[in-house]
Amino acid sequence: MSWERFAYFLDKTGSRWGLIAYVVLFFIYIFAPIVIVVGVSFTATSYVTFPPEGFSLQWFDRFFSYDAFTNSLIVSIEIAILSAICGCLIGVPAALALVRSRIKAANMITTFLLSPLSMPLIVTGFALLFFLSWMGLGVSFVSLLIAHTVVSLPYIVRTVAGVYRGVSPEYEESAAALGATRWSVFVHVTLPMIKPGIFAGALFAMLISIDNLPISYFFSSTSTNTLPVVMLAYLENQFDPAIAAASTVQLILAVIGLLLVERITGLDAMTPAG
Amino acid sequence: MTAADGGMAIPPSARPPRFGRARFYRSVSPWWIALAVIFLLVFFVLPLIDNIQRSIDLSTLLLPGTQQNYYAKLFLDPYYLRVTMVTVVLSVGVTAICVLVGYPVALFLVRHAGRWSGVVIFLLIAPLLTSIIMRTFGWQVLFARRGLFNQMLLGLDWIDKPLNLLGGPTPVVIGLVHVLVPFMVLSIASVLRSIDPQLEESARILGASKTKTFFKVTLPLSLDGIGTGSILVFLLVNGSFVTILLLGAGSMQTLPLLIYQQFNTTRDFGFAAAMSNVLLLVALVCLYLQLRLIRRRGTVGA
């Protein structure tokens, strides 16, 4: 087929409606497995089946009565929140300083702070495990927290720097010129303006942390297992709807987190993160 | 000209003092940067350097008889060479499929979605709320022996008995593309958005067909977006093992999966370290390409 005929063919068929139909199919592909898992979690059967037969909450009951699941869920939530807080404590001041920095290397430093995002997590996790063991921390809650903070830090730096770059220095300058101290400029002027960036970055970091298997895996022990680690171990041995229930619980938690952030800041802040 | 300028440049301290307002107000001291840099140096860079040392295994180098060169094993042993090749082919293949699958969606998002664009972006980001295990499990349910696909095929009388759909590259690729294609769509869309629609209109007015306009104007201008998206997706495939472990059902072996198994069962940490250094090297090359692309985009945009 010649180029001209191919072009003609596409012109005739590649209409706007064709594109819309394609996009609809695309989103069916994206959401099918998710809808299926939520469906399976409510099944009344003792095996995985879709469409689910009957309706029951027995698999949620199973999830909440199985200690390995509930304990790991608590560890996951603790680590997600604490690593986001640590990431903010280290990352927010650095992002603010970098945006207004006159140092030539500022761009390079920003790239460096974002570099953990480009590293396969399994490499970071593997390397950190041996390093932290050498430091005497070994497999512990603190090690897990440090490892997760290494990953949460770049997300927070990126979103906060993105928001702060759009803030004119004049607000802070006016406040300072009117006699506000450095601290009160920070608390009353800078902080309220960058708050959406902090919350969006922290939310992103928490979502990544909750789903982080490659790092958590290396630091797993009975007291530091996170939910994905326990789910993977379970899935390697069994194939039953308990995994669907665990997934649904995790999804509900993520949605609650999203709604909380939305109430505080509005979702517009999420866009620079994407 | 530039050399002369450089030579004549006035050192900052000798510049006349600025009057009026200060050029920059700094809310926090630049020293705060140091804290973040030190944190990452200690807990990110040092461990990676430590890892390189582990893979070379200095103790065995001193005893020639017991010397074990992990890299020779990795690149010369046919089995491990094959694993490395599978990793590369899978990463490239999934990236290419993500471009093909994602491009039309990005085009729709930027050019046709109109007031629906917010909804489309939300639908692209929403799957991030689900865990990777959830999505992989969903595909397992679909592909299972008594799963939806087999039931549909049986119902249509296309097959007599359920097929074994799990295992092999197809479910792995379907699962990986499913997880990663939103990143590709968002990367391409952000570049498409910066293309002036008037360029396309001009081409159309001058008589180019819709398709020709796309291939001669839109596509070349959006190559940067394809580039950034591809690097991102390539990196993510390169480090993922959950999808391959669960959907490949043992039929597929890649470097990250091998690291996971070396750590889990064989416990040959030196070899696992050597494999993770190969992944590290790939990541560094990608990071470099990414920086070059961003720099180019920066100048093009300005």
Side-chain angles (χ1 to χ4, degrees):
Chain A
M1 198 192 284
S2 73
W3 163 258
E4 295 302 326
R5 282 193 56 190
F6 176 67
Y8 180 78
F9 172 76
L10 276 187
D11 264 14
K12 284 288 156 198
T13 53
S15 64
R16 193 165 169 223
W17 286 105
L19 192 59
I20 290 174
Y22 176 80
V23 171
V24 170
L25 277 177
F26 173 83
F27 281 114
I28 290 175
Y29 166 62
I30 295 291
F31 284 97
I34 299 168
V35 171
I36 283 172
V37 175
V38 173
V40 166
S41 67
F42 291 103
T43 188
T45 54
S46 60
Y47 50 87
V48 175
T49 175
F50 190 89
E53 289 161 21
F55 176 87
S56 101
L57 294 174
Q58 59 167 332
W59 292 105
F60 289 94
D61 187 49
R62 171 83 201 267
F63 174 81
F64 285 110
S65 57
Y66 185 43
D67 281 346
F69 277 142
T70 46
N71 291 340
S72 64
L73 178 64
I74 293 167
V75 172
S76 278
I77 294 172
E78 284 172 349
I79 286 290
I81 293 174
L82 287 175
S83 69
I85 291 174
C86 292
C88 284
L89 289 177
I90 304 169
V92 172
L96 298 184
L98 277 169
V99 167
R100 295 286 155 82
S101 168
R102 274 171 287 184
I103 314 171
K104 279 243 168 63
N107 269 333
M108 256 175 63
I109 295 173
T110 311
T111 309
F112 172 64
L113 292 184
L114 300 184
S115 63
L117 295 181
S118 306
M119 200 54 59
L121 290 177
I122 194 165
V123 176
T124 312
F126 182 81
L128 254 176
L129 172 67
F130 286 96
F131 185 76
L132 292 174
S133 302
W134 172 78
M135 280 183 81
L137 288 166
V139 175
S140 64
F141 191 82
V142 178
S143 297
L144 192 61
L145 181 58
I146 290 173
H148 276 246
T149 306
V150 169
V151 183
S152 72
L153 179 69
Y155 285 104
I156 288 156
V157 168
R158 191 169 64 177
T159 41
V160 172
V163 171
Y164 194 51
R165 215 167 271 137
V167 170
S168 161
E170 285 166 13
Y171 299 105
E172 290 158 321
E173 281 159 16
S174 316
L178 292 171
T181 61
R182 213 165 223 250
W183 176 246
S184 61
V185 172
F186 180 73
V187 172
H188 297 294
V189 182
T190 315
L191 212 50
M193 288 192 291
I194 59 165
K195 211 171 71 179
I198 296 178
F199 279 110
L203 174 73
F204 225 73
M206 283 195 282
L207 291 178
I208 299 291
S209 162
I210 285 249
D211 189 27
N212 180 333
L213 181 65
I215 283 187
S216 302
Y217 168 75
F218 290 108
F219 296 93
S220 58
S221 70
T222 42
S223 61
T224 55
N225 273 338
T226 62
L227 187 57
V229 173
V230 174
M231 282 169 73
L232 181 65
Y234 192 92
L235 202 50
E236 279 191 286
N237 299 315
Q238 276 139 298
F239 191 76
D240 70 35
I243 289 296
S247 304
T248 307
V249 169
Q250 197 178 334
L251 173 63
I252 291 168
L253 280 175
V255 171
I256 290 173
L258 184 74
L259 292 178
L260 277 178
V261 172
E262 208 264 343
R263 290 222 61 178
I264 300 169
T265 65
L267 266 185
D268 296 341
M270 282 296 289
T271 350
Chain B
M1 195 52 196
T2 39
D5 280 346
M8 297 287 283
I10 308 159
S13 54
R15 282 187 194 139
R18 267 176 205 280
F19 294 103
R21 68 186 184 88
R23 185 72 180 82
F24 291 108
Y25 174 83
R26 286 186 293 185
S27 55
V28 288
S29 146
W31 288 107
W32 280 101
I33 302 171
L35 181 68
V37 170
I38 290 169
F39 180 80
L40 280 194
L41 277 178
V42 173
F43 293 116
F44 183 62
V45 177
L46 276 185
L48 291 175
I49 294 173
D50 176 50
N51 207 32
I52 293 172
Q53 279 184 347
R54 182 169 314 104
S55 71
I56 297 168
D57 201 350
L58 295 170
S59 60
T60 55
L61 278 179
L62 298 173
L63 302 163
T66 60
Q67 182 179 346
Q68 217 188 355
N69 190 330
Y70 295 117
Y71 293 96
K73 186 175 166 190
L74 197 52
F75 290 114
L76 296 177
D77 185 306
Y79 175 76
Y80 294 108
L81 196 62
R82 201 183 128 74
V83 171
T84 311
M85 288 305 295
V86 168
T87 313
V88 172
V89 171
L90 183 72
S91 304
V92 172
V94 168
T95 307
I97 294 172
C98 279
V99 174
L100 292 176
V101 171
Y103 201 101
V105 181
L107 199 64
F108 175 80
L109 170 61
V110 175
R111 291 282 184 261
H112 302 282
R115 62 200 173 88
W116 293 94
S117 67
V119 177
V120 175
I121 290 176
F122 174 77
L123 291 178
L124 283 169
I125 297 177
L128 280 179
L129 294 173
T130 65
S131 72
I132 203 149
I133 293 190
M134 179 182 200
R135 285 183 269 173
T136 312
F137 182 70
W139 288 115
Q140 281 187 310
V141 174
L142 265 168
F143 291 139
R145 197 164 272 278
R146 299 199 303 170
L148 212 55
F149 273 155
N150 268 323
Q151 279 174 13
M152 268 165 57
L153 293 174
L154 284 171
L156 290 168
D157 266 338
W158 285 4
I159 50 173
D160 297 331
K161 52 177 187 239
L163 299 172
N164 188 13
L165 297 165
L166 282 170
T170 314
V172 172
V173 170
I174 291 177
L176 283 171
V177 170
H178 177 253
V179 174
L180 301 173
V181 74
F183 296 102
M184 182 68 82
V185 174
L186 291 172
S187 300
I188 296 175
S190 76
V191 172
L192 275 180
R193 197 168 282 130
S194 69
I195 299 175
D196 189 346
Q198 288 184 350
L199 289 173
E200 291 162 3
E201 279 164 33
S202 313
R204 296 278 290 142
I205 290 166
L206 291 171
S209 66
K210 263 188 197 167
T211 317
K212 201 162 185 181
T213 308
F214 173 75
F215 281 106
K216 299 278 175 184
V217 180
T218 317
L219 189 63
L221 284 173
S222 61
L223 281 180
D224 275 353
I226 295 178
T228 18
S230 296
I231 293 168
L232 185 64
V233 169
F234 184 88
L235 268 175
L236 290 169
V237 185
N238 218 32
S240 63
F241 67 93
V242 180
T243 318
I244 303 165
L245 176 71
L246 295 175
L247 293 180
S251 66
M252 219 176 185
Q253 195 62 272
T254 61
L255 283 179
L257 189 55
L258 210 53
I259 296 174
Y260 169 79
Q261 283 164 350
Q262 288 285 333
F263 184 80
N264 217 358
T265 49
T266 330
R267 305 222 148 233
D268 187 348
F269 299 140
F271 192 42
M275 286 188 283
S276 63
N277 284 323
V278 175
L279 293 182
L280 170 89
L281 192 70
V282 174
L284 286 178
V285 172
C286 286
L287 192 64
Y288 172 75
L289 291 175
Q290 208 170 17
L291 281 178
R292 285 200 48 180
L293 260 180
I294 289 168
R295 207 158 288 159
R296 213 177 68 192
R297 265 184 74 185
T299 49
V300 168

